[in-house]
Amino acid sequence: MAEADPQKTFNVHDAKTQLSKLIDRAHAGEEIILSKAGKPYAKLVAFEPTPLPRRQPGRFKHLLKDVPSDIWFEPTFTDEELDAFESRGF
């Protein structure tokens, strides 16, 4: 394994005390190596968010092809239940 650049390698104790500065350096594009007992342990790099795909209206329309449209408008209450609600003033 090649030796890490000493300017970019920090032991865990130093990294804890300088974390904010190290984060700024990583955000600026540097790779910061964190070492433990003198051995490289982890790498601190800038975060690159994955872009979300563009929304496509209607892309799930095919899922509704077998669903009859009249199920959305069928009453769910009996006439007696509706009369009971109306008589209570709801």
Side-chain angles (χ1 to χ4, degrees):
M1 178 183 272
E3 287 297 315
D5 182 358
Q7 296 291 7
K8 296 181 181 185
T9 303
F10 295 85
N11 67 39
V12 174
H13 177 73
D14 291 339
K16 282 195 252 183
T17 60
Q18 302 178 35
L19 184 59
S20 183
K21 290 178 186 178
L22 294 177
I23 288 173
D24 290 339
R25 286 175 60 178
H27 183 71
E30 286 187 58
E31 286 187 358
I32 306 297
I33 306 296
L34 304 177
S35 64
K36 191 171 185 180
K39 296 182 181 180
Y41 227 66
K43 184 175 12 176
L44 184 62
V45 295
F47 176 74
E48 296 179 20
T50 306
L52 296 174
R54 282 188 64 126
R55 292 184 62 192
Q56 297 175 349
R59 68 181 169 161
F60 295 118
K61 191 187 323 185
H62 68 281
L63 297 176
L64 296 175
K65 69 180 179 184
D66 297 327
V67 179
S69 62
D70 60 343
I71 68 161
W72 306 112
F73 302 106
E74 289 181 7
T76 57
F77 295 107
T78 64
D79 288 337
E80 293 81 22
E81 290 171 328
L82 290 173
D83 289 339
F85 281 121
E86 290 174 1
S87 67
R88 292 185 194 156
F90 289 113

PDB file of all heavy atoms in Angstrom, residues 19-55:
ATOM      1  N   LEU A  19     -12.313  18.805  13.040  1.00  0.00           N
ATOM      2  CA  LEU A  19     -13.308  18.234  12.147  1.00  0.00           C
ATOM      3  C   LEU A  19     -13.947  19.270  11.221  1.00  0.00           C
ATOM      4  O   LEU A  19     -14.091  19.038  10.029  1.00  0.00           O
ATOM      5  CB  LEU A  19     -14.395  17.504  12.947  1.00  0.00           C
ATOM      6  CG  LEU A  19     -15.444  16.781  12.113  1.00  0.00           C
ATOM      7  CD1 LEU A  19     -14.791  15.734  11.209  1.00  0.00           C
ATOM      8  CD2 LEU A  19     -16.486  16.141  13.003  1.00  0.00           C
ATOM      9  N   SER A  20     -14.304  20.417  11.748  1.00  0.00           N
ATOM     10  CA  SER A  20     -14.946  21.439  10.917  1.00  0.00           C
ATOM     11  C   SER A  20     -14.041  21.871   9.764  1.00  0.00           C
ATOM     12  O   SER A  20     -14.487  21.991   8.618  1.00  0.00           O
ATOM     13  CB  SER A  20     -15.327  22.642  11.779  1.00  0.00           C
ATOM     14  OG  SER A  20     -16.006  23.599  11.009  1.00  0.00           O
ATOM     15  N   LYS A  21     -12.762  22.072  10.043  1.00  0.00           N
ATOM     16  CA  LYS A  21     -11.816  22.470   8.992  1.00  0.00           C
ATOM     17  C   LYS A  21     -11.618  21.337   7.981  1.00  0.00           C
ATOM     18  O   LYS A  21     -11.523  21.590   6.776  1.00  0.00           O
ATOM     19  CB  LYS A  21     -10.473  22.857   9.606  1.00  0.00           C
ATOM     20  CG  LYS A  21     -10.522  24.147  10.389  1.00  0.00           C
ATOM     21  CD  LYS A  21      -9.179  24.454  11.006  1.00  0.00           C
ATOM     22  CE  LYS A  21      -9.292  25.686  11.901  1.00  0.00           C
ATOM     23  NZ  LYS A  21      -8.021  25.986  12.552  1.00  0.00           N
ATOM     24  N   LEU A  22     -11.565  20.111   8.477  1.00  0.00           N
ATOM     25  CA  LEU A  22     -11.386  18.973   7.574  1.00  0.00           C
ATOM     26  C   LEU A  22     -12.598  18.794   6.660  1.00  0.00           C
ATOM     27  O   LEU A  22     -12.450  18.475   5.482  1.00  0.00           O
ATOM     28  CB  LEU A  22     -11.119  17.695   8.366  1.00  0.00           C
ATOM     29  CG  LEU A  22      -9.808  17.668   9.152  1.00  0.00           C
ATOM     30  CD1 LEU A  22      -9.708  16.380   9.955  1.00  0.00           C
ATOM     31  CD2 LEU A  22      -8.615  17.826   8.230  1.00  0.00           C
ATOM     32  N   ILE A  23     -13.771  19.035   7.204  1.00  0.00           N
ATOM     33  CA  ILE A  23     -14.979  18.954   6.379  1.00  0.00           C
ATOM     34  C   ILE A  23     -14.941  20.015   5.287  1.00  0.00           C
ATOM     35  O   ILE A  23     -15.281  19.757   4.130  1.00  0.00           O
ATOM     36  CB  ILE A  23     -16.243  19.086   7.255  1.00  0.00           C
ATOM     37  CG1 ILE A  23     -16.418  17.814   8.081  1.00  0.00           C
ATOM     38  CG2 ILE A  23     -17.481  19.345   6.409  1.00  0.00           C
ATOM     39  CD1 ILE A  23     -17.536  17.890   9.102  1.00  0.00           C
ATOM     40  N   ASP A  24     -14.519  21.228   5.637  1.00  0.00           N
ATOM     41  CA  ASP A  24     -14.406  22.293   4.625  1.00  0.00           C
ATOM     42  C   ASP A  24     -13.406  21.919   3.542  1.00  0.00           C
ATOM     43  O   ASP A  24     -13.638  22.162   2.353  1.00  0.00           O
ATOM     44  CB  ASP A  24     -14.000  23.620   5.283  1.00  0.00           C
ATOM     45  CG  ASP A  24     -15.105  24.221   6.133  1.00  0.00           C
ATOM     46  OD1 ASP A  24     -16.287  23.866   5.926  1.00  0.00           O
ATOM     47  OD2 ASP A  24     -14.785  25.056   7.010  1.00  0.00           O
ATOM     48  N   ARG A  25     -12.284  21.324   3.933  1.00  0.00           N
ATOM     49  CA  ARG A  25     -11.285  20.918   2.937  1.00  0.00           C
ATOM     50  C   ARG A  25     -11.830  19.817   2.027  1.00  0.00           C
ATOM     51  O   ARG A  25     -11.616  19.844   0.807  1.00  0.00           O
ATOM     52  CB  ARG A  25     -10.013  20.450   3.636  1.00  0.00           C
ATOM     53  CG  ARG A  25      -9.201  21.607   4.232  1.00  0.00           C
ATOM     54  CD  ARG A  25      -8.012  21.137   5.023  1.00  0.00           C
ATOM     55  NE  ARG A  25      -7.070  20.344   4.232  1.00  0.00           N
ATOM     56  CZ  ARG A  25      -5.930  19.870   4.721  1.00  0.00           C
ATOM     57  NH1 ARG A  25      -5.591  20.111   5.975  1.00  0.00           N
ATOM     58  NH2 ARG A  25      -5.136  19.154   3.958  1.00  0.00           N
ATOM     59  N   ALA A  26     -12.541  18.870   2.610  1.00  0.00           N
ATOM     60  CA  ALA A  26     -13.126  17.796   1.802  1.00  0.00           C
ATOM     61  C   ALA A  26     -14.168  18.365   0.856  1.00  0.00           C
ATOM     62  O   ALA A  26     -14.244  17.972  -0.315  1.00  0.00           O
ATOM     63  CB  ALA A  26     -13.739  16.727   2.703  1.00  0.00           C
ATOM     64  N   HIS A  27     -14.961  19.306   1.343  1.00  0.00           N
ATOM     65  CA  HIS A  27     -15.981  19.933   0.497  1.00  0.00           C
ATOM     66  C   HIS A  27     -15.341  20.695  -0.668  1.00  0.00           C
ATOM     67  O   HIS A  27     -15.912  20.767  -1.753  1.00  0.00           O
ATOM     68  CB  HIS A  27     -16.841  20.877   1.336  1.00  0.00           C
ATOM     69  CG  HIS A  27     -17.954  21.507   0.574  1.00  0.00           C
ATOM     70  ND1 HIS A  27     -19.054  20.793   0.158  1.00  0.00           N
ATOM     71  CD2 HIS A  27     -18.135  22.775   0.137  1.00  0.00           C
ATOM     72  CE1 HIS A  27     -19.861  21.604  -0.491  1.00  0.00           C
ATOM     73  NE2 HIS A  27     -19.331  22.801  -0.528  1.00  0.00           N
ATOM     74  N   ALA A  28     -14.147  21.208  -0.446  1.00  0.00           N
ATOM     75  CA  ALA A  28     -13.424  21.929  -1.498  1.00  0.00           C
ATOM     76  C   ALA A  28     -12.786  20.987  -2.511  1.00  0.00           C
ATOM     77  O   ALA A  28     -12.216  21.438  -3.509  1.00  0.00           O
ATOM     78  CB  ALA A  28     -12.353  22.827  -0.873  1.00  0.00           C
ATOM     79  N   GLY A  29     -12.862  19.660  -2.263  1.00  0.00           N
ATOM     80  CA  GLY A  29     -12.360  18.713  -3.247  1.00  0.00           C
ATOM     81  C   GLY A  29     -11.204  17.845  -2.794  1.00  0.00           C
ATOM     82  O   GLY A  29     -10.779  16.957  -3.532  1.00  0.00           O
ATOM     83  N   GLU A  30     -10.666  18.076  -1.620  1.00  0.00           N
ATOM     84  CA  GLU A  30      -9.553  17.261  -1.131  1.00  0.00           C
ATOM     85  C   GLU A  30     -10.065  15.931  -0.585  1.00  0.00           C
ATOM     86  O   GLU A  30     -11.191  15.836  -0.117  1.00  0.00           O
ATOM     87  CB  GLU A  30      -8.817  17.975   0.009  1.00  0.00           C
ATOM     88  CG  GLU A  30      -7.957  19.129  -0.415  1.00  0.00           C
ATOM     89  CD  GLU A  30      -7.156  19.653   0.764  1.00  0.00           C
ATOM     90  OE1 GLU A  30      -6.387  18.863   1.355  1.00  0.00           O
ATOM     91  OE2 GLU A  30      -7.313  20.838   1.086  1.00  0.00           O
ATOM     92  N   GLU A  31      -9.228  14.929  -0.647  1.00  0.00           N
ATOM     93  CA  GLU A  31      -9.504  13.663   0.022  1.00  0.00           C
ATOM     94  C   GLU A  31      -8.706  13.662   1.311  1.00  0.00           C
ATOM     95  O   GLU A  31      -7.487  13.770   1.294  1.00  0.00           O
ATOM     96  CB  GLU A  31      -9.092  12.481  -0.844  1.00  0.00           C
ATOM     97  CG  GLU A  31     -10.005  12.222  -1.998  1.00  0.00           C
ATOM     98  CD  GLU A  31      -9.650  10.944  -2.726  1.00  0.00           C
ATOM     99  OE1 GLU A  31      -8.656  10.269  -2.351  1.00  0.00           O
ATOM    100  OE2 GLU A  31     -10.362  10.611  -3.675  1.00  0.00           O
ATOM    101  N   ILE A  32      -9.385  13.555   2.426  1.00  0.00           N
ATOM    102  CA  ILE A  32      -8.747  13.549   3.732  1.00  0.00           C
ATOM    103  C   ILE A  32      -8.754  12.105   4.238  1.00  0.00           C
ATOM    104  O   ILE A  32      -9.798  11.456   4.295  1.00  0.00           O
ATOM    105  CB  ILE A  32      -9.506  14.459   4.732  1.00  0.00           C
ATOM    106  CG1 ILE A  32      -9.671  15.877   4.176  1.00  0.00           C
ATOM    107  CG2 ILE A  32      -8.829  14.460   6.091  1.00  0.00           C
ATOM    108  CD1 ILE A  32      -8.386  16.628   3.936  1.00  0.00           C
ATOM    109  N   ILE A  33      -7.571  11.611   4.623  1.00  0.00           N
ATOM    110  CA  ILE A  33      -7.436  10.256   5.130  1.00  0.00           C
ATOM    111  C   ILE A  33      -7.389  10.311   6.651  1.00  0.00           C
ATOM    112  O   ILE A  33      -6.607  11.062   7.229  1.00  0.00           O
ATOM    113  CB  ILE A  33      -6.153   9.583   4.606  1.00  0.00           C
ATOM    114  CG1 ILE A  33      -6.094   9.634   3.084  1.00  0.00           C
ATOM    115  CG2 ILE A  33      -6.034   8.156   5.136  1.00  0.00           C
ATOM    116  CD1 ILE A  33      -7.170   8.875   2.381  1.00  0.00           C
ATOM    117  N   LEU A  34      -8.234   9.509   7.290  1.00  0.00           N
ATOM    118  CA  LEU A  34      -8.226   9.398   8.744  1.00  0.00           C
ATOM    119  C   LEU A  34      -7.496   8.109   9.103  1.00  0.00           C
ATOM    120  O   LEU A  34      -7.790   7.049   8.549  1.00  0.00           O
ATOM    121  CB  LEU A  34      -9.652   9.383   9.292  1.00  0.00           C
ATOM    122  CG  LEU A  34     -10.515  10.583   8.905  1.00  0.00           C
ATOM    123  CD1 LEU A  34     -11.927  10.416   9.460  1.00  0.00           C
ATOM    124  CD2 LEU A  34      -9.904  11.872   9.386  1.00  0.00           C
ATOM    125  N   SER A  35      -6.550   8.226  10.013  1.00  0.00           N
ATOM    126  CA  SER A  35      -5.757   7.046  10.366  1.00  0.00           C
ATOM    127  C   SER A  35      -5.941   6.705  11.841  1.00  0.00           C
ATOM    128  O   SER A  35      -6.257   7.559  12.660  1.00  0.00           O
ATOM    129  CB  SER A  35      -4.283   7.280  10.057  1.00  0.00           C
ATOM    130  OG  SER A  35      -3.772   8.322  10.865  1.00  0.00           O
ATOM    131  N   LYS A  36      -5.728   5.441  12.127  1.00  0.00           N
ATOM    132  CA  LYS A  36      -5.817   4.949  13.493  1.00  0.00           C
ATOM    133  C   LYS A  36      -4.598   4.072  13.718  1.00  0.00           C
ATOM    134  O   LYS A  36      -4.338   3.161  12.939  1.00  0.00           O
ATOM    135  CB  LYS A  36      -7.112   4.158  13.666  1.00  0.00           C
ATOM    136  CG  LYS A  36      -7.463   3.820  15.069  1.00  0.00           C
ATOM    137  CD  LYS A  36      -8.870   3.225  15.116  1.00  0.00           C
ATOM    138  CE  LYS A  36      -9.287   2.986  16.538  1.00  0.00           C
ATOM    139  NZ  LYS A  36     -10.629   2.405  16.600  1.00  0.00           N
ATOM    140  N   ALA A  37      -3.839   4.404  14.724  1.00  0.00           N
ATOM    141  CA  ALA A  37      -2.588   3.692  15.024  1.00  0.00           C
ATOM    142  C   ALA A  37      -1.632   3.735  13.838  1.00  0.00           C
ATOM    143  O   ALA A  37      -0.938   2.774  13.549  1.00  0.00           O
ATOM    144  CB  ALA A  37      -2.873   2.257  15.448  1.00  0.00           C
ATOM    145  N   GLY A  38      -1.654   4.860  13.114  1.00  0.00           N
ATOM    146  CA  GLY A  38      -0.734   5.052  12.002  1.00  0.00           C
ATOM    147  C   GLY A  38      -1.145   4.399  10.697  1.00  0.00           C
ATOM    148  O   GLY A  38      -0.445   4.519   9.703  1.00  0.00           O
ATOM    149  N   LYS A  39      -2.269   3.690  10.691  1.00  0.00           N
ATOM    150  CA  LYS A  39      -2.726   3.023   9.475  1.00  0.00           C
ATOM    151  C   LYS A  39      -3.970   3.723   8.935  1.00  0.00           C
ATOM    152  O   LYS A  39      -4.865   4.087   9.692  1.00  0.00           O
ATOM    153  CB  LYS A  39      -3.062   1.563   9.767  1.00  0.00           C
ATOM    154  CG  LYS A  39      -1.860   0.757  10.188  1.00  0.00           C
ATOM    155  CD  LYS A  39      -2.235  -0.673  10.401  1.00  0.00           C
ATOM    156  CE  LYS A  39      -1.003  -1.461  10.842  1.00  0.00           C
ATOM    157  NZ  LYS A  39      -1.328  -2.867  11.066  1.00  0.00           N
ATOM    158  N   PRO A  40      -4.029   3.930   7.614  1.00  0.00           N
ATOM    159  CA  PRO A  40      -5.220   4.550   7.018  1.00  0.00           C
ATOM    160  C   PRO A  40      -6.465   3.736   7.369  1.00  0.00           C
ATOM    161  O   PRO A  40      -6.470   2.509   7.252  1.00  0.00           O
ATOM    162  CB  PRO A  40      -4.945   4.522   5.519  1.00  0.00           C
ATOM    163  CG  PRO A  40      -3.464   4.379   5.403  1.00  0.00           C
ATOM    164  CD  PRO A  40      -3.014   3.615   6.606  1.00  0.00           C
ATOM    165  N   TYR A  41      -7.506   4.443   7.823  1.00  0.00           N
ATOM    166  CA  TYR A  41      -8.705   3.766   8.302  1.00  0.00           C
ATOM    167  C   TYR A  41      -9.953   4.171   7.529  1.00  0.00           C
ATOM    168  O   TYR A  41     -10.810   3.360   7.269  1.00  0.00           O
ATOM    169  CB  TYR A  41      -8.883   4.112   9.785  1.00  0.00           C
ATOM    170  CG  TYR A  41      -9.184   2.932  10.664  1.00  0.00           C
ATOM    171  CD1 TYR A  41      -8.245   1.929  10.858  1.00  0.00           C
ATOM    172  CD2 TYR A  41     -10.402   2.826  11.309  1.00  0.00           C
ATOM    173  CE1 TYR A  41      -8.517   0.854  11.673  1.00  0.00           C
ATOM    174  CE2 TYR A  41     -10.690   1.754  12.119  1.00  0.00           C
ATOM    175  CZ  TYR A  41      -9.736   0.773  12.308  1.00  0.00           C
ATOM    176  OH  TYR A  41     -10.017  -0.304  13.097  1.00  0.00           O
ATOM    177  N   ALA A  42     -10.033   5.479   7.192  1.00  0.00           N
ATOM    178  CA  ALA A  42     -11.233   5.978   6.514  1.00  0.00           C
ATOM    179  C   ALA A  42     -10.844   7.164   5.646  1.00  0.00           C
ATOM    180  O   ALA A  42      -9.794   7.765   5.815  1.00  0.00           O
ATOM    181  CB  ALA A  42     -12.290   6.380   7.527  1.00  0.00           C
ATOM    182  N   LYS A  43     -11.738   7.480   4.707  1.00  0.00           N
ATOM    183  CA  LYS A  43     -11.496   8.591   3.805  1.00  0.00           C
ATOM    184  C   LYS A  43     -12.666   9.568   3.912  1.00  0.00           C
ATOM    185  O   LYS A  43     -13.824   9.175   3.898  1.00  0.00           O
ATOM    186  CB  LYS A  43     -11.377   8.074   2.373  1.00  0.00           C
ATOM    187  CG  LYS A  43     -11.044   9.131   1.374  1.00  0.00           C
ATOM    188  CD  LYS A  43     -10.789   8.657  -0.049  1.00  0.00           C
ATOM    189  CE  LYS A  43     -11.147   7.281  -0.417  1.00  0.00           C
ATOM    190  NZ  LYS A  43     -10.934   6.982  -1.846  1.00  0.00           N
ATOM    191  N   LEU A  44     -12.351  10.856   4.028  1.00  0.00           N
ATOM    192  CA  LEU A  44     -13.356  11.907   4.085  1.00  0.00           C
ATOM    193  C   LEU A  44     -13.339  12.623   2.742  1.00  0.00           C
ATOM    194  O   LEU A  44     -12.325  13.175   2.336  1.00  0.00           O
ATOM    195  CB  LEU A  44     -13.014  12.882   5.222  1.00  0.00           C
ATOM    196  CG  LEU A  44     -13.981  13.999   5.532  1.00  0.00           C
ATOM    197  CD1 LEU A  44     -15.323  13.451   5.978  1.00  0.00           C
ATOM    198  CD2 LEU A  44     -13.409  14.884   6.633  1.00  0.00           C
ATOM    199  N   VAL A  45     -14.459  12.539   2.019  1.00  0.00           N
ATOM    200  CA  VAL A  45     -14.566  13.154   0.695  1.00  0.00           C
ATOM    201  C   VAL A  45     -15.848  13.965   0.623  1.00  0.00           C
ATOM    202  O   VAL A  45     -16.760  13.806   1.440  1.00  0.00           O
ATOM    203  CB  VAL A  45     -14.545  12.107  -0.436  1.00  0.00           C
ATOM    204  CG1 VAL A  45     -13.217  11.380  -0.493  1.00  0.00           C
ATOM    205  CG2 VAL A  45     -15.676  11.131  -0.296  1.00  0.00           C
ATOM    206  N   ALA A  46     -15.948  14.812  -0.389  1.00  0.00           N
ATOM    207  CA  ALA A  46     -17.146  15.619  -0.582  1.00  0.00           C
ATOM    208  C   ALA A  46     -18.326  14.722  -0.934  1.00  0.00           C
ATOM    209  O   ALA A  46     -18.178  13.716  -1.631  1.00  0.00           O
ATOM    210  CB  ALA A  46     -16.919  16.654  -1.670  1.00  0.00           C
ATOM    211  N   PHE A  47     -19.485  15.108  -0.472  1.00  0.00           N
ATOM    212  CA  PHE A  47     -20.719  14.380  -0.753  1.00  0.00           C
ATOM    213  C   PHE A  47     -21.286  14.865  -2.078  1.00  0.00           C
ATOM    214  O   PHE A  47     -21.429  16.059  -2.299  1.00  0.00           O
ATOM    215  CB  PHE A  47     -21.727  14.628   0.373  1.00  0.00           C
ATOM    216  CG  PHE A  47     -23.064  14.011   0.132  1.00  0.00           C
ATOM    217  CD1 PHE A  47     -23.236  12.648   0.251  1.00  0.00           C
ATOM    218  CD2 PHE A  47     -24.147  14.788  -0.220  1.00  0.00           C
ATOM    219  CE1 PHE A  47     -24.474  12.072   0.035  1.00  0.00           C
ATOM    220  CE2 PHE A  47     -25.386  14.224  -0.442  1.00  0.00           C
ATOM    221  CZ  PHE A  47     -25.548  12.863  -0.312  1.00  0.00           C
ATOM    222  N   GLU A  48     -21.591  13.924  -2.967  1.00  0.00           N
ATOM    223  CA  GLU A  48     -22.203  14.266  -4.244  1.00  0.00           C
ATOM    224  C   GLU A  48     -23.581  13.636  -4.297  1.00  0.00           C
ATOM    225  O   GLU A  48     -23.704  12.420  -4.476  1.00  0.00           O
ATOM    226  CB  GLU A  48     -21.340  13.764  -5.404  1.00  0.00           C
ATOM    227  CG  GLU A  48     -19.979  14.427  -5.454  1.00  0.00           C
ATOM    228  CD  GLU A  48     -19.132  13.909  -6.596  1.00  0.00           C
ATOM    229  OE1 GLU A  48     -19.693  13.335  -7.555  1.00  0.00           O
ATOM    230  OE2 GLU A  48     -17.921  14.054  -6.517  1.00  0.00           O
ATOM    231  N   PRO A  49     -24.628  14.437  -4.104  1.00  0.00           N
ATOM    232  CA  PRO A  49     -25.972  13.857  -4.109  1.00  0.00           C
ATOM    233  C   PRO A  49     -26.340  13.296  -5.476  1.00  0.00           C
ATOM    234  O   PRO A  49     -25.927  13.815  -6.509  1.00  0.00           O
ATOM    235  CB  PRO A  49     -26.883  15.030  -3.735  1.00  0.00           C
ATOM    236  CG  PRO A  49     -26.102  16.249  -4.037  1.00  0.00           C
ATOM    237  CD  PRO A  49     -24.653  15.880  -3.917  1.00  0.00           C
ATOM    238  N   THR A  50     -27.079  12.218  -5.464  1.00  0.00           N
ATOM    239  CA  THR A  50     -27.549  11.609  -6.695  1.00  0.00           C
ATOM    240  C   THR A  50     -28.788  12.359  -7.162  1.00  0.00           C
ATOM    241  O   THR A  50     -29.740  12.503  -6.398  1.00  0.00           O
ATOM    242  CB  THR A  50     -27.903  10.132  -6.455  1.00  0.00           C
ATOM    243  OG1 THR A  50     -26.773   9.490  -5.882  1.00  0.00           O
ATOM    244  CG2 THR A  50     -28.308   9.444  -7.731  1.00  0.00           C
ATOM    245  N   PRO A  51     -28.784  12.868  -8.391  1.00  0.00           N
ATOM    246  CA  PRO A  51     -29.965  13.602  -8.853  1.00  0.00           C
ATOM    247  C   PRO A  51     -31.167  12.667  -8.998  1.00  0.00           C
ATOM    248  O   PRO A  51     -31.028  11.513  -9.412  1.00  0.00           O
ATOM    249  CB  PRO A  51     -29.540  14.166 -10.206  1.00  0.00           C
ATOM    250  CG  PRO A  51     -28.418  13.309 -10.653  1.00  0.00           C
ATOM    251  CD  PRO A  51     -27.748  12.788  -9.407  1.00  0.00           C
ATOM    252  N   LEU A  52     -32.322  13.183  -8.622  1.00  0.00           N
ATOM    253  CA  LEU A  52     -33.550  12.405  -8.763  1.00  0.00           C
ATOM    254  C   LEU A  52     -34.005  12.430 -10.215  1.00  0.00           C
ATOM    255  O   LEU A  52     -33.804  13.422 -10.911  1.00  0.00           O
ATOM    256  CB  LEU A  52     -34.646  13.001  -7.873  1.00  0.00           C
ATOM    257  CG  LEU A  52     -34.378  12.963  -6.375  1.00  0.00           C
ATOM    258  CD1 LEU A  52     -35.479  13.717  -5.626  1.00  0.00           C
ATOM    259  CD2 LEU A  52     -34.296  11.538  -5.889  1.00  0.00           C
ATOM    260  N   PRO A  53     -34.616  11.346 -10.679  1.00  0.00           N
ATOM    261  CA  PRO A  53     -35.111  11.351 -12.060  1.00  0.00           C
ATOM    262  C   PRO A  53     -36.256  12.349 -12.211  1.00  0.00           C
ATOM    263  O   PRO A  53     -36.972  12.630 -11.251  1.00  0.00           O
ATOM    264  CB  PRO A  53     -35.595   9.923 -12.276  1.00  0.00           C
ATOM    265  CG  PRO A  53     -35.818   9.365 -10.918  1.00  0.00           C
ATOM    266  CD  PRO A  53     -34.888  10.093  -9.999  1.00  0.00           C
ATOM    267  N   ARG A  54     -36.395  12.890 -13.411  1.00  0.00           N
ATOM    268  CA  ARG A  54     -37.496  13.819 -13.680  1.00  0.00           C
ATOM    269  C   ARG A  54     -38.827  13.115 -13.534  1.00  0.00           C
ATOM    270  O   ARG A  54     -38.956  11.955 -13.892  1.00  0.00           O
ATOM    271  CB  ARG A  54     -37.390  14.371 -15.094  1.00  0.00           C
ATOM    272  CG  ARG A  54     -36.364  15.446 -15.248  1.00  0.00           C
ATOM    273  CD  ARG A  54     -36.482  16.033 -16.630  1.00  0.00           C
ATOM    274  NE  ARG A  54     -37.795  16.666 -16.750  1.00  0.00           N
ATOM    275  CZ  ARG A  54     -37.973  17.921 -17.124  1.00  0.00           C
ATOM    276  NH1 ARG A  54     -36.958  18.653 -17.417  1.00  0.00           N
ATOM    277  NH2 ARG A  54     -39.186  18.417 -17.204  1.00  0.00           N
ATOM    278  N   ARG A  55     -39.793  13.850 -13.017  1.00  0.00           N
ATOM    279  CA  ARG A  55     -41.135  13.289 -12.889  1.00  0.00           C
ATOM    280  C   ARG A  55     -41.771  13.175 -14.267  1.00  0.00           C
ATOM    281  O   ARG A  55     -41.606  14.041 -15.113  1.00  0.00           O
ATOM    282  CB  ARG A  55     -41.989  14.178 -12.006  1.00  0.00           C
ATOM    283  CG  ARG A  55     -41.524  14.176 -10.573  1.00  0.00           C
ATOM    284  CD  ARG A  55     -42.437  14.986  -9.706  1.00  0.00           C
ATOM    285  NE  ARG A  55     -43.767  14.393  -9.734  1.00  0.00           N
ATOM    286  CZ  ARG A  55     -44.846  14.990  -9.271  1.00  0.00           C
ATOM    287  NH1 ARG A  55     -44.773  16.183  -8.753  1.00  0.00           N
ATOM    288  NH2 ARG A  55     -46.016  14.404  -9.334  1.00  0.00           N
TER     289      ARG A  55
END
